[in-house]
């Protein structure tokens, strides 16, 4: 047999076929995702020259992002809203996932899941807006309570504030939390639970020592899948908060487009990505460390 | 076996020093062998021994790193799988789930441009051959395991390949079904006369079905022989251990001259063996004599040994219905030896601790050295 | 029932999920400009008013163009990536697939702004074309996820069998692989379409002066008088998504039945 060239071997190899197939998608992602993200990172260390960007290296944007009380309070607000939403969503979702996975007849599971997912696919904007209509000063809740005489004047603690954000977002991301937990629970071998009880544990302790640790991977996925989009939510602060209680996304928009300070906007965007990454990593790490869960 | 005047069996497949590497892993280590036209050939070995890889090099799904594979005298290095005169029955059967039985079986005929009627006739013929007459319109996913197996066979045989490759085709079936399919495969092979190459890890299956068997370990062929030779004259302890059960006794070689080997075997004493009773090459290790459990016989009252006789104590009894296995300690031995006895009506199963006479024959011994 | 507590909780949870959405038809047919109880009477006037706005027609047309293009492109990219990642091993696979899936874990605002900066720097005019670029980016991960599971459940020996029976790699793809993953392709198309139709941030920032349906709806929120007709539009959209989802679910189940695998429930 003739000696093959390196290139000839590569061309018929698995790697070459893989690269050839993945290349259109990868090229698209590199051009329209990796390159723009790199551009943002680059902008974040440039100087702003009002309406232009001056390519001179500086860390000033980061210094301002992290030292200015305004930006810091927006970041803390975003972080606390998304942590609260994540906590509420995941805690409320867990029993639902548990019910569907363990107490629903297998042939009807997809029907339940279908019911749970439908609201998620209805217009996000309209769902957020509905909460404004429900919780507003002249909204559904207040008008209903007043018409049946429970209250005399509209409640104000339910509208246009952080609590309203949390309710709205928790509703919006509910199915996001249920699905990964459900998937993790489905993977649990049912005989493990029988083994747990066979070895003398009560139902509750079996849940605690077997089901919960084994479903933890799903909980981690649920936490990340809720936490990440919520911290970057734009619509809820805009609609429910009337634009007066901004979160990170509103701040980025404001800097990039209204004040046209792209370097500072980029620095905040990069910082937001860093925060998301760090919080996610800490969470995954804690889960590994204390629960032995795997991701 | 060959009829008088018949040509010597032709070679269908030939491997010449075939090597296959996956990265650093050496999967096939210098395979040299020939498979004859029209024989039922098995590749037997534990999982990971390279038997499936070797089969897939014939099919064309795996390239080889060096060496030559010839099919019907032709080097197939440059021939892709879809152009080779071989067809395969997959371990999972690979029945196309979106097609009917008919469409599955006729799949490979698409390129022959047959008329509708001719195609239907060929498919019906193939289905009848595998005992699935009238199943043509069934959906593929509505078939049982045994039926899938038959569809896979019909689909491969309809193309009249020179070689049919079977990758553990019976492993997914239950015991009864497996035994039934073994018989049917043998019948089918005789009927169509095509070379069958079977990959299996089940030694019993290989012994039952094959004309010849290649036993493989770690990417090499350890022994290639017909079933009887393989069973009676294994060329290494490893092959002997893999196929059936074999007892081993430490031995020392006293002398060796013109086809006669004088051996002192522990528990048996001094025996003279013929040269063909030492089929393996000398490894330099400790010498052993081996023998199958059924070559020893427990002598009941009044029975006489036809050859040699020794005393033993029964240590363990395992009752199998048609057979009973006895683990006995031959006098002068520390470890147990297994004997299998066919249960005969009216003869009792012996108890543990019984002293008994054992008949044995030097001709049944194999020497490993 | 033994676990009635858990069942009751789940039902209450579903009520919480559905309650706001049920308000849509309630107030869409309510004869009052104000969204408040008590209800005042039945009317279909809001549907007529909604449809009378010609801006809506334009936004709808744009949305359909954007969503169909994004669905087709994202599914095509999804087929390539899913096939590559399930069938072949290649160096840096995890990294490449990670990048493709990245939009799933990236706040949309950041994707939108990053793209916007590059497009502006390149001097590209914002239009529905630029919206499509962005939507393909965020729909592709969903397409890859759906199609990967479709390709994954495909037994590799099916392809080998077809090849062994004389087909070429291309005809094997056409005769075996494509029909078997078709249900996955259909549900990927439908889900990408739905995501794109619903998407707001990218459409808002990358559309220039072109509006899609979601941007149109967002604009209407500013006018309290428009709220009832938005409720009417919302009612129609909810019905539409239920229809699309049911079709997607139907195809998913048919795919499972075809490949003979057990239903593990739910897409994604």
């Amino acid at each position: 047999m003739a000696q093959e060239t390196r290139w000839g071997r590569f061309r018929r190899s698995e790697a070459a076929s893989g690269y050839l197939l993945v290349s259109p998608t990868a090229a698209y992602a590199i051009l329209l995702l990796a390159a723009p993200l790199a551009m943002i990172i680059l902008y974040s260390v440039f100087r702003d020259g009002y309406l232009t960007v001056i390519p001179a290296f500086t860390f000033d944007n980061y210094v301002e992002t992290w030292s200015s009380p305004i930006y810091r309070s927006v970041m803390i607000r975003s972080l606390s809203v998304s942590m609260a939403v994540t906590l509420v969503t995941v805690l409320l979702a867990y029993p639902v996932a548990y019910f569907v996975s363990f107490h629903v007849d297998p042939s009807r599971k997809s029907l339940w899941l279908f019911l749970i997912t439908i609201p998620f696919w209805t217009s996000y904007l309209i769902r957020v807006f509905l909460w404004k209509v429900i919780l507003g000063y002249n909204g559904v809740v207040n008008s209903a309570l007043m018409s049946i005489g429970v209250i005399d004047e509209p409640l104000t603690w339910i509208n246009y504030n952080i609590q309203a954000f949390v309710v709205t977002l928790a509703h919006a991301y509910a199915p996001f939390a249920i699905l990964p937990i459900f998937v993790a629970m489905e993977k649990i071998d049912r005989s493990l639970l029988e083994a747990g009880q066979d070895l003398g544990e009560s139902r509750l302790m079996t849940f605690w020592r077997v089901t919960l640790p084994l479903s933890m991977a799903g909980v981690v996925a649920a936490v990340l899948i809720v936490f990440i989009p919520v911290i970057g939510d734009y619509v809820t602060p805009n609609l429910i908060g009337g634009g007066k209680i901004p979160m990170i996304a509103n701040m980025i928009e404001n800097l990039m487009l209204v004040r046209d300070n792209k370097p500072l906007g980029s620095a905040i965007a990069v910082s937001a990505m860093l925060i998301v990454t760090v919080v996610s990593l800490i969470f995954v790490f804690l889960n590994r460390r204390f629960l032995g869960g795997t991701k | 076996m060959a009829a008088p005047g018949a040509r010597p069996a032709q070679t269908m497949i030939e491997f010449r020093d075939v090597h296959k590497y996956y990265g650093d892993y050496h999967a096939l280590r210098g395979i040299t062998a020939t498979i004859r036209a029209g024989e039922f050939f098995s590749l037997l070995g534990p999982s990971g021994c390279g038997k499936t890889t070797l089969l897939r090099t014939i099919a064309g799904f795996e390239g080889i790193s060096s060496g030559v594979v010839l099919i019907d005298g032709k080097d197939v290095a440059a021939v892709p799988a879809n152009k080779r005169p071989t067809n395969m029955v997959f371990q999972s059967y690979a029945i196309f789930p979106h097609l009917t039985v008919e469409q599955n079986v006729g799949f490979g005929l698409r390129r022959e441009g047959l008329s509708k009627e001719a195609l239907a006739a060929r498919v019906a013929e193939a289905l009848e051959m595998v005992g699935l007459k009238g199943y043509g319109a069934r959906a593929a996913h509505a078939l049982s395991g045994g039926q899938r197996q038959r569809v896979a066979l019909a689909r491969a045989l309809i193309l009249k390949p020179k070689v049919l490759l079977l990758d553990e085709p019976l492993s997914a079936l239950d015991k009864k079904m497996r035994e039934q399919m073994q018989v049917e495969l043998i019948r089918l092979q005789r009927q169509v006369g095509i070379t069958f190459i079977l990959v299996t890890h089940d030694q019993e299956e290989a012994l039952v079905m094959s004309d010849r068997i290649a036993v493989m370990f770690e990417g090499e062929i350890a022994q290639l022989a017909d079933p009887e030779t393989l069973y009676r004259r294994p060329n290494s302890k490893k092959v002997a251990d893999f196929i059936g059960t074999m007892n081993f006794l430490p031995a020392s070689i006293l002398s060796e001259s013109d086809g006669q080997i004088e051996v002192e075997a522990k528990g048996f004493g001094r025996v003279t063996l013929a040269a063909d009773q030492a089929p393996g090459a000398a490894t330099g290790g400790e010498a052993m004599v081996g023998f199958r459990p059924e070559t020893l016989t427990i002598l009941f009252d009044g029975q006489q040994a036809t050859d040699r006789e020794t005393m033993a104590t029964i240590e363990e009894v395992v009752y199998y219905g048609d057979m009973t296995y006895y683990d006995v300690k031959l006098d002068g031995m520390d470890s147990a030896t297994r004997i299998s006895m066919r249960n005969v009506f009216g003869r009792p199963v012996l108890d543990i601790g019984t002293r008994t006479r054992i008949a044995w024959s030097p001709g049944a011994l194999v020497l490993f050295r | 029932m033994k676990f009635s507590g858990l069942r009751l909780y789940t039902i209450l949870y579903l009520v919480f999920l559905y309650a706001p959405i049920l308000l849509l038809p309630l107030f869409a047919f309510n004869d009052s400009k104000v969204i408040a109880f008590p209800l005042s009477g039945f009317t279909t006037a809001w549907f007529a008013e909604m449809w009378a706005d010609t801006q809506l027609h334009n936004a709808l047309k744009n949305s359909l163009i954007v969503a169909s293009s994004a669905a087709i492109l994202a599914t095509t990219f999804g087929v390539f990536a899913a096939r590559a990642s399930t069938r072949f091993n290649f160096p840096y696979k995890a990294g490449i697939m990670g990048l493709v899936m990245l939009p799933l874990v990236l706040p949309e605002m950041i994707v939108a702004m990053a793209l916007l900066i590059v497009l502006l720097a390149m001097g590209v005019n914002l239009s529905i074309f630029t919206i499509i670029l962005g939507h393909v980016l965020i729909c592709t991960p969903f397409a890859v996820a759906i199609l990967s599971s479709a390709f994954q459940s495909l037994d590799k020996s099916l392809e080998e069998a077809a090849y062994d029976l004389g087909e070429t790699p291309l005809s094997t793809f056409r005769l075996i692989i494509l029909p078997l993953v078709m249900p996955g392709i259909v549900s990927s198309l439908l889900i990408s379409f739905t995501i794109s139709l619903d998407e707001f941030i990218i459409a808002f920032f990358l559309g220039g002066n072109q509006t899609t349906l979601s941007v149109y709806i967002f604009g209407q929120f500013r006018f309290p008088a428009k709220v009832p007709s938005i409720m009417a539009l919302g009612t129609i959209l909810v019905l539409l998504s239920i229809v699309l989802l049911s079709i997607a679910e139907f195809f998913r189940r048919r795919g499972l039945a075809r490949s003979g695998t057990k239903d593990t429930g739910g897409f994604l």
Side-chain angles (χ1 to χ4, degrees):
Chain A
M1 216 188 327
Q3 192 62 41
E4 281 188 294
T5 61
R6 245 165 192 279
W7 172 243
R9 245 197 333 264
F10 175 76
R11 253 184 31 204
R12 278 190 287 111
S13 75
E14 197 178 324
S17 319
Y19 279 131
L20 191 68
L21 264 177
V22 86
S23 57
T25 317
Y28 192 86
I30 288 168
L31 282 177
L32 283 116
L33 185 64
L37 289 178
M39 187 107 163
I40 285 235
I41 294 170
L42 202 63
Y43 268 27
S44 73
V45 289
F46 282 172
R47 276 182 34 221
D48 178 45
Y50 191 67
L51 296 182
T52 58
V53 174
I54 301 164
F57 181 83
T58 175
F59 263 131
D60 290 353
N61 302 309
Y62 286 101
V63 173
E64 192 175 350
T65 304
W66 292 92
S67 60
S68 148
I70 303 166
Y71 303 139
R72 207 190 304 155
S73 74
V74 169
M75 294 239 190
I76 289 170
R77 178 185 303 134
S78 304
L79 208 55
S80 35
V81 165
S82 62
M83 279 179 172
V85 169
T86 308
L87 190 72
V88 169
T89 330
V90 173
L91 281 184
L92 291 180
Y94 193 90
V96 176
Y98 183 84
F99 173 75
V100 177
S101 180
F102 286 92
H103 295 298
V104 168
D105 187 76
S107 62
R108 308 190 58 180
K109 278 181 185 173
S110 37
L111 179 69
W112 277 89
L113 285 184
F114 193 55
L115 281 177
I116 290 166
T117 20
I118 283 182
F120 163 67
W121 294 108
T122 56
S123 170
Y124 175 67
L125 274 180
I126 287 183
R127 271 180 297 148
V128 172
F129 178 71
L130 281 169
W131 281 104
K132 181 184 176 159
V133 169
I134 293 168
L135 300 175
Y137 187 77
N138 294 315
V140 173
V141 169
N142 277 333
S143 67
L145 290 179
M146 274 163 65
S147 73
I148 57 172
V150 176
I151 51 172
D152 297 326
E153 54 186 74
L155 302 171
T156 53
W157 54 268
I158 56 169
N159 38 42
Y160 317 124
N161 59 17
I162 301 279
Q163 292 92 297
F165 284 17
V166 174
V167 173
T168 307
L169 289 164
H171 179 261
Y173 287 93
F176 266 112
I178 294 177
L179 286 178
I181 300 175
F182 171 79
V183 169
M185 283 176 172
E186 283 296 283
K187 287 188 188 143
I188 298 175
D189 183 350
R190 296 310 194 248
S191 62
L192 291 177
L193 308 186
E194 289 168 359
Q197 287 184 32
D198 183 60
L199 295 171
E201 292 290 15
S202 66
R203 249 171 212 286
L204 198 66
M205 282 310 285
T206 305
F207 171 80
W208 185 250
R209 292 181 62 186
V210 181
T211 316
L212 188 64
L214 287 176
S215 59
M216 227 35 216
V219 173
V220 172
V223 164
L224 297 182
I225 218 166
V226 173
F227 177 79
I228 293 167
V230 168
I231 199 170
D233 191 81
Y234 170 82
V235 175
T236 303
N238 198 309
L239 282 180
I240 304 275
K244 293 182 186 67
I245 320 174
M247 289 189 11
I248 289 180
N250 312 78
M251 187 60 83
I252 294 172
E253 180 217 1
N254 184 276
L255 284 168
M256 292 275 199
L257 301 179
V258 181
R259 285 160 51 187
D260 202 13
N261 186 340
K262 293 199 174 77
L264 188 54
S266 301
I268 291 183
V270 173
S271 304
M273 286 193 277
L274 279 178
I275 290 173
V276 168
T277 314
V278 168
V279 172
S280 309
L281 287 179
I282 289 174
F283 186 75
V284 171
F285 173 77
L286 284 181
N287 177 63
R288 283 225 180 121
R289 181 91 172 68
F290 294 111
L291 290 157
T294 47
K295 172 88 195 337
Chain B
M1 255 194 277
R7 289 179 304 159
Q10 280 182 322
T11 297
M12 177 54 78
I13 308 264
E14 187 175 352
F15 299 107
R16 288 185 196 153
D17 196 27
V18 171
H19 287 265
K20 168 80 184 175
Y21 290 89
Y22 293 105
D24 290 335
Y25 180 65
H26 201 170
L28 297 176
R29 305 171 179 230
I31 301 288
T32 298
T34 57
I35 297 171
R36 297 171 194 146
E39 77 175 332
F40 201 128
F41 192 91
S42 288
L43 296 167
L44 172 67
S47 61
C49 72
K51 56 188 191 300
T52 298
T53 307
L54 191 59
L55 190 81
R56 291 169 61 86
T57 63
I58 305 173
F61 296 132
E62 305 278 357
I64 54 175
S65 307
S66 70
V68 180
V69 178
L70 300 152
I71 300 180
D72 206 13
K74 193 172 156 237
D75 184 347
V76 290
V79 184
N82 55 348
K83 302 271 190 272
R84 292 194 186 190
T86 61
N87 285 117
M88 183 130 151
V89 172
F90 291 82
Q91 186 169 15
S92 64
Y93 309 145
I95 304 298
F96 305 127
H98 57 307
L99 304 179
T100 63
V101 167
E102 235 158 24
Q103 288 168 327
N104 263 285
V105 173
F107 189 87
L109 294 177
R110 190 180 76 94
R111 306 194 149 239
E112 295 190 5
L114 299 174
S115 71
K116 239 183 181 168
E117 295 74 28
L119 183 83
R122 284 274 294 272
V123 170
E125 185 194 355
L127 282 174
E128 185 161 3
M129 185 170 66
V130 297
L132 281 182
K133 196 178 175 186
Y135 281 77
R138 289 261 182 117
H141 56 79
L143 297 175
S144 72
Q147 289 166 341
R148 282 164 173 266
Q149 156 96 74
R150 287 157 200 265
V151 172
L153 270 169
R155 184 177 71 182
L157 286 173
I158 202 169
L159 295 176
K160 306 198 161 74
K162 286 180 175 158
V163 183
L164 183 73
L165 307 169
L166 302 122
D167 185 8
E168 306 239 8
L170 306 176
S171 60
L173 303 177
D174 63 43
K175 193 168 184 294
K176 272 248 160 67
M177 194 60 173
R178 193 157 60 226
E179 283 167 4
Q180 189 189 333
M181 283 308 297
Q182 285 175 2
V183 177
E184 276 197 50
L185 274 176
I186 297 169
R187 176 189 62 80
L188 205 59
Q189 197 262 338
R190 289 202 186 121
Q191 185 187 333
V192 296
I194 290 171
T195 311
F196 277 33
I197 305 178
L198 173 81
V199 159
T200 181
H201 63 269
D202 181 342
Q203 44 99 11
E204 203 180 293
E205 186 170 294
L207 291 178
V208 169
M209 301 176 75
S210 322
D211 294 320
R212 291 195 309 148
I213 300 169
V215 182
M216 293 183 67
F217 296 114
E218 287 156 12
E220 290 179 279
I221 294 181
Q223 188 170 6
L224 196 165
D226 60 277
E228 197 185 348
T229 307
L230 216 50
Y231 188 78
R232 291 188 45 201
R233 297 286 182 256
N235 66 2
S236 64
K237 276 190 70 181
K238 216 169 166 184
V239 171
D241 253 342
F242 191 74
I243 294 173
T245 309
M246 191 165 254
N247 294 297
F248 296 101
L249 299 173
S252 47
I253 298 163
L254 303 172
S255 70
E256 191 171 353
S257 60
D258 29 272
Q260 301 271 303
I261 310 169
E262 279 284 310
V263 173
E264 170 81 30
K266 212 173 173 194
F268 280 160
R270 199 175 255 251
V271 283
T272 307
L273 304 177
D276 79 311
Q277 285 176 268
T283 59
E286 198 193 346
M288 291 269 183
V289 292
F291 54 95
R292 299 289 183 188
E294 68 277 8
T295 60
L296 265 58
T297 312
I298 291 175
L299 295 172
F300 287 84
D301 295 337
Q303 286 183 315
Q304 288 300 313
T306 47
D307 208 333
R308 307 258 301 251
E309 188 180 317
T310 188
M311 287 299 289
T313 310
I314 295 177
E315 296 225 305
E316 188 65 71
V317 181
V318 186
Y319 180 73
Y320 270 87
D322 59 336
M323 306 279 289
T324 303
Y325 286 3
Y326 295 98
D327 287 344
V328 305
K329 201 176 260 181
L330 300 175
D331 283 8
M333 278 290 301
D334 311 319
S335 58
T337 294
R338 171 154 289 196
I339 299 178
S340 66
M341 292 286 291
R342 185 150 292 284
N343 290 330
V344 176
F345 179 73
R347 185 197 285 164
V349 173
L350 300 175
D351 291 326
I352 293 172
T354 311
R355 290 281 293 166
T356 180
R357 291 178 300 132
I358 307 279
W360 60 279
S361 168
L365 302 184
V366 185
L367 177 67
F368 303 103
R369 49 183 168 162
Chain C
M1 266 209 81
K2 212 159 156 198
F3 289 92
S4 54
L6 210 48
R7 176 178 286 263
L8 184 70
Y9 172 81
T10 305
I11 291 168
L12 285 177
Y13 189 90
L14 279 179
V15 170
F16 166 70
L17 279 187
Y18 277 87
I21 292 153
L22 293 178
L23 292 177
L24 281 174
L26 207 59
F27 288 105
F29 291 107
N30 183 33
D31 189 9
S32 162
K33 271 198 186 309
V34 196
I35 304 299
F37 286 107
L39 301 175
S40 20
F42 182 83
T43 178
T44 52
W46 304 122
F47 287 87
E49 187 184 311
M50 168 201 92
W51 193 244
D53 189 347
T54 48
Q55 279 180 46
L56 171 65
H57 300 179
N58 190 41
L60 187 63
K61 194 189 84 195
N62 283 341
S63 262
L64 290 178
I65 295 173
V66 169
S68 338
S69 318
I72 292 168
L73 287 171
T75 303
T76 310
F77 283 135
V79 167
F80 280 115
R83 173 79 176 152
S85 79
T86 51
R87 180 72 161 72
F88 299 103
N89 269 317
F90 44 91
Y92 309 112
K93 179 163 128 180
I96 293 171
M97 292 312 290
L99 176 67
V100 172
M101 303 303 274
L102 189 62
L104 276 185
V105 293
L106 216 51
E108 255 174 56
M109 178 58 81
I110 290 177
V111 177
M113 285 302 147
L115 261 175
L116 184 64
I117 285 179
V118 170
L119 292 172
L120 290 179
M122 283 168 38
V124 177
N125 281 328
L126 298 178
S127 66
I128 58 170
F129 175 72
T130 44
I131 303 178
I132 295 171
L133 289 183
H135 279 187
V136 170
L137 212 51
I138 57 160
C139 290
T140 303
F142 288 90
V144 172
I146 293 166
L147 291 164
S148 289
S149 76
F151 279 113
Q152 198 86 65
S153 60
L154 205 66
D155 181 359
K156 192 181 163 190
S157 60
L158 290 176
E159 292 165 42
E160 288 183 344
Y163 194 47
D164 184 57
L165 294 167
E167 298 298 337
T168 62
L170 207 66
S171 64
T172 299
F173 189 82
R174 185 168 60 81
L175 293 169
I176 303 299
I177 302 174
L178 207 56
L180 288 174
V181 297
M182 194 41 98
I185 290 177
V186 172
S187 68
S188 161
L189 283 173
L190 289 171
I191 283 180
S192 301
F193 185 90
T194 316
I195 291 171
S196 168
L197 199 64
D198 192 33
E199 204 287 332
F200 167 68
I201 294 180
I202 287 172
F204 188 60
F205 290 111
L206 296 188
N209 52 12
Q210 306 252 40
T211 53
T212 63
L213 204 53
S214 57
V215 176
Y216 168 80
I217 292 170
F218 189 76
Q220 301 294 296
F221 289 154
R222 278 175 298 158
F223 313 112
K226 294 279 192 175
V227 171
S229 54
I230 287 294
M231 295 299 235
L233 179 58
T235 307
I236 290 172
L237 287 181
V238 168
L239 286 177
L240 194 72
S241 345
I242 292 176
V243 169
L244 281 181
L245 274 180
S246 305
I247 298 173
E249 173 73 6
F250 171 78
F251 275 100
R252 191 188 66 82
R253 288 198 191 185
R254 207 173 72 168
L256 287 176
R258 268 190 182 181
S259 56
T261 32
K262 203 176 123 270
D263 189 355
T264 46
F267 31 108
L268 297 188

